[in-house]
Amino acid sequence: MRIIITALLAFAGLPVISSQLLAQGNSLPSKFNTLNNTFSGRITDAKTGSPVAAASVYITDIRSGSSTNENGNFIIRNIPQGKHLVEISHIGYTSIVENIDFNTDVQKDFVLSGSIIENNAVIVTGVSGATQQRKVPFAVSVMKRQDLQQSTSSNIIESLTKIGGVSTLASGPAISKPVVRGLSYNRVLTINDGVRQEGQQWGDEHGIEVDEASVNKIELLKGPASIIYGSDAMAGVVNIITNVPVPVNTIKANMSSNYQSNNRLRTLNANIGGNMNGFNWNIYTSNKAAADYRNKYDGYVYNSKFTEHNLGGYLGFNGKWGFSHLLLSSFNLKAGMVEGERDAGGYFTKTLAGGVVERATSVDFKSTTPQIPYQHIRHFKIATDNNIRMGKNHLTFNIGYQQNRREEFGNPDDINERSLFFNLRTITYTAQFHLAENKGWKTSIGINGMQQNNTNKGIEQLIPDYALFDFGIYGYSQKTIDKITLSGGLRFDSRNVTADNLLDGTAIKGAGFKKSFSNISGSIGVAAQLTEKLNLKFNAARGFRAPSIPELASNGAHEGTTRYEYGNTSLKSETSIQLDGGLEYSAEHISIGLSAFYNSFNNFIFYRKLEAAAGGDSLVNVNGDLLTAFKFDQTKAALAGLEATVDIHPHPLDWLHILNTFSMVSGQLRTPIEGNKYLPFIPASKLVTEFKGNFNNLGKHVQNFYVKFEVDNTFSKNNVFTVYNTETGTPGYTLLNAGLGADFAGRKNKTLFTLGFSVVNIGDVAYQNHLSRLKYAAANAATGRTGVYNMGRNFSIRLNIPLSFDLKK
């Protein structure tokens, strides 16, 4: 083990520290030395006064924590001197977040009160270090592991739609992309364990490529976050946190499984982690298989099946000097691509070798093996995450390597032929130097960026081979004055792109180029806790996004449309100014949240129709089909929206919560195109009402019981960009969902297993989400309905079996 840790710390750039740590029992050179302290206490229930077992006590910035025993007691050792943000949490209770000064050993007891809405968690997204959710000036929502497990959604990205202002753009159950306040693709950035997730996120058929069974928490920031992350974080950030150390002196394991009736989805997941004497680690694996899904209008939707096999984990060491962790993950997805082709009778068809077309059979629908056409996506990542104490200052840095391989198979005459094969390799780097808090000031200076290469290995090229280098430097500071927290910073970015010739076989259909983009970003905001119940926020930020490679270099037919798209190497960086304000009111029997935003874009990238030299539309002949030509262009645009939550927990029914979440967004072009002013693919307005009962104890052996019923109203969407046949209106619909579950305990209140049931779309409503790509599949000749509909009624059962072993202290 020591050899492994020595290699790990040497890889992280800490050979001197690692050798001294292992030889001298965690002692350090004097320049790194700091006195370490102990944190202990007891956690009890506010109503009953009884101890709360298995409550989490976690200090984010040092990646260390503990959990309470059956008597509610906890202890954490080796806490560096200085102020640290401590989070106390447990299912069914409001989290307690306190900034505690550890100049000596601290003994403190805590009392937890019941709640359903989390509005004061510790967050790390969009800020330079761990911060209370109430003290950031922008909108950040948190979904913890138990929230995701209790969700009635069919996948983890769909679960995020319970957050106001968040939607999904889907291509069936396997592929969902987050849409934040009306924007998606390269305008929403995904972070996984501190590393910028880089795949082919510009395309409809590309998801986030993270194993959802490994997720511990998701933080979702709404609004520009370019100040910390640089290009692409214009609409927001989805920060997925997977590898969190288990409590010290424990080994924890979990086995879980999920079955969903609609598409026969079955999953099997397992993980095991340990933490002793500073060494901590985790290993996980997950496996999924799903057949074709079905709905009332289409029956079984041919080739919506998928399989997924993932593996990952981390190995690390936490010492008095800080911590160093090495993270690995491997994501492997095979997903069918729904084309929606049907015969005159309305039955889905499949194409076989020799051009033979047959009706899909029951055997085809029930198989979990994707058929032609399908895609195979593999994403490998290795990264090192480090935090080095330097007195009361500290340095955090990570370096990551990713390889994303996307292969598309579409030739029934040669099933091994890769029509497309993108091989994307990315090295990311991030470093932040955090100055010790001084008179209410918390300041950090950082750099981050990436080096990226993409190579085509398929027989077709949609984008050219290219190389990209990205660098950014920034400063960020927070000042707390009594109940007011001011935040702000400045950033400079530079990106250089070199693209090779775009080839069609051996012919050049697009010339290579070199482009450079630079930008200055900034933000300033305030969060004010006016009273114990009322919190106000306001933020102004400038975001930017460099044009993506498809926008610069496309030259080909866009799949599933009648468009032939040309890139534009004259494009400039998108820039935006967003104003964001909100209020939060929390009382004993009601909680209210309200936020509004206005986002003004310069150089918003879209596509426009090309005109032929002789007049009329420019047409391109592709295999005998005449496609209308479009070219990416830029204009001014604006988006505005509103999100509101009202949670009612009426007395004396304190166990009951009635949570209402409403969101709407509008997007318009400053200069209409052919008389149409609407931005395309803006999500419909939505109102979700959830009735939920929480019962922390139902007898001796049933704990954390919940039951809920949801009314999910999506309004009609008629203000759409109909020009160029881009999109069509979508009628509204209402879905009814329900769920229940509980922990079942044995002796000493230890959880033996957790069981949950849910049903989505109880009424089996046939509907199309406005942002579903399948909405624009071919029409059904038998019924006249256009496109493919979303999933029908779906029952789900989820089982989780935890194991925990306390090690000698």
Side-chain angles (χ1 to χ4, degrees), residues 36-315:
N36 286 29
N37 303 291
T38 297
F39 180 37
S40 61
R42 188 168 186 260
I43 299 175
T44 55
D45 185 285
K47 284 191 174 181
T48 66
S50 58
V52 178
S56 170
V57 184
Y58 193 68
I59 305 176
T60 299
D61 59 357
I62 65 171
R63 300 286 201 281
S64 184
S66 182
S67 59
T68 55
N69 60 21
E70 63 270 19
N71 298 315
N73 298 318
F74 69 89
I75 186 169
I76 305 175
R77 295 183 172 87
N78 287 329
I79 301 174
Q81 276 196 338
K83 291 185 177 180
H84 299 285
L85 204 58
V86 178
E87 182 175 25
I88 316 291
S89 62
H90 192 282
I91 298 174
Y93 292 95
T94 299
S95 293
I96 296 174
V97 177
E98 285 194 16
N99 207 10
I100 298 177
D101 196 344
F102 289 93
N103 284 323
T104 184
D105 292 345
V106 175
Q107 196 285 327
K108 189 170 185 178
D109 297 336
F110 298 89
V111 177
L112 290 176
S113 301
S115 180
I116 192 171
I117 289 187
E118 182 62 80
N119 61 4
N120 195 31
V122 174
I123 61 106
V124 296
T125 308
V127 291
S128 59
T131 305
Q132 284 181 262
Q133 192 175 1
R134 288 178 179 172
K135 292 188 175 182
V136 296
F138 38 77
V140 180
S141 298
V142 175
M143 292 195 76
K144 296 185 178 181
R145 186 178 186 88
Q146 59 265 27
D147 301 319
L148 298 170
Q149 290 177 338
Q150 293 179 9
S151 172
T152 57
S153 301
S154 58
N155 62 56
I156 197 169
I157 298 301
E158 290 292 337
S159 297
L160 297 180
T161 63
K162 307 302 180 184
I163 299 172
V166 181
S167 307
T168 59
L169 191 154
S171 299
I175 304 292
S176 293
K177 303 168 72 72
V179 180
V180 181
R181 289 179 167 176
L183 299 174
S184 187
Y185 298 95
N186 286 70
R187 297 183 178 103
V188 174
L189 185 64
T190 299
I191 302 291
N192 182 210
D193 287 331
V195 178
R196 176 188 180 114
Q197 188 81 358
E198 283 294 317
Q200 310 291 344
Q201 58 262 37
W202 47 266
D204 293 335
E205 299 287 353
H206 314 143
I208 62 168
E209 293 148 16
V210 173
D211 173 43
E212 64 180 52
S214 67
V215 176
N216 274 282
K217 183 171 76 168
I218 297 179
E219 297 178 4
L220 194 143
L221 185 155
K222 294 178 282 189
S226 299
I227 182 68
I228 300 294
Y229 303 107
S231 179
D232 298 1
M234 293 195 77
V237 176
V238 180
N239 186 6
I240 300 173
I241 299 168
T242 59
N243 289 298
V244 176
V246 301
V248 294
N249 298 310
T250 61
I251 290 179
K252 285 183 175 290
N254 278 280
M255 291 191 65
S256 63
S257 184
N258 177 222
Y259 177 79
Q260 297 183 16
S261 65
N262 187 283
N263 59 350
R264 298 179 175 86
L265 171 70
R266 47 269 201 190
T267 71
L268 181 62
N269 316 303
N271 78 283
I272 183 170
N275 190 341
M276 186 177 184
N277 296 329
F279 296 98
N280 51 94
W281 51 274
N282 181 60
I283 300 172
Y284 67 82
T285 180
S286 69
N287 300 274
K288 291 183 181 181
D292 292 335
Y293 81 86
R294 58 183 172 180
N295 62 61
K296 184 165 63 175
Y297 284 172
D298 299 309
Y300 286 102
V301 176
Y302 176 65
N303 213 25
S304 57
K305 57 182 93 294
F306 66 92
T307 62
E308 185 178 313
H309 306 284
N310 307 319
L311 180 70
Y314 84 97
L315 174 67

Side-chain angles (χ1 to χ4, degrees), residues 376-447:
H376 186 192
I377 300 171
R378 289 168 288 171
H379 191 100
F380 171 78
K381 179 170 62 182
I382 181 171
T384 176
D385 184 23
N386 311 276
N387 186 331
I388 311 303
R389 306 296 303 185
M390 297 179 175
K392 292 189 177 182
N393 306 318
H394 65 280
L395 172 68
T396 60
F397 64 94
N398 67 55
I399 300 172
Y401 170 78
Q402 302 171 69
Q403 183 180 30
N404 183 278
R405 291 174 289 176
R406 177 179 182 261
E407 303 164 275
E408 185 174 316
F409 299 85
N411 185 356
D413 293 314
D414 183 357
I415 60 174
N416 295 315
E417 179 186 271
R418 297 169 175 85
S419 54
L420 296 174
F421 187 174
F422 303 111
N423 185 20
L424 180 68
R425 291 164 294 174
T426 306
I427 296 174
T428 59
Y429 59 92
T430 299
Q432 292 179 325
F433 185 74
H434 307 267
L435 298 172
E437 184 173 346
N438 184 23
K439 297 181 180 180
W441 284 98
K442 294 175 65 176
T443 300
S444 300
I445 300 170
I447 62 170

Side-chain angles (χ1 to χ4, degrees), residues 187 234 519 542-547 571-578 598-606 633-639 668-670 679:
R187 297 183 178 103
M234 293 195 77
N519 189 76
R542 185 180 194 268
F544 98 103
R545 180 181 73 91
L571 294 177
K572 300 177 182 179
S573 293
E574 284 186 340
T575 58
S576 71
I577 299 292
Q578 176 163 311
Y598 178 78
N599 200 356
S600 178
F601 278 82
N602 285 321
N603 303 322
F604 186 87
I605 297 175
F606 72 110
D633 204 346
Q634 294 183 295
T635 189
K636 292 184 177 182
L639 293 97
Q668 296 189 359
L669 301 165
R670 295 289 179 83
L679 279 179

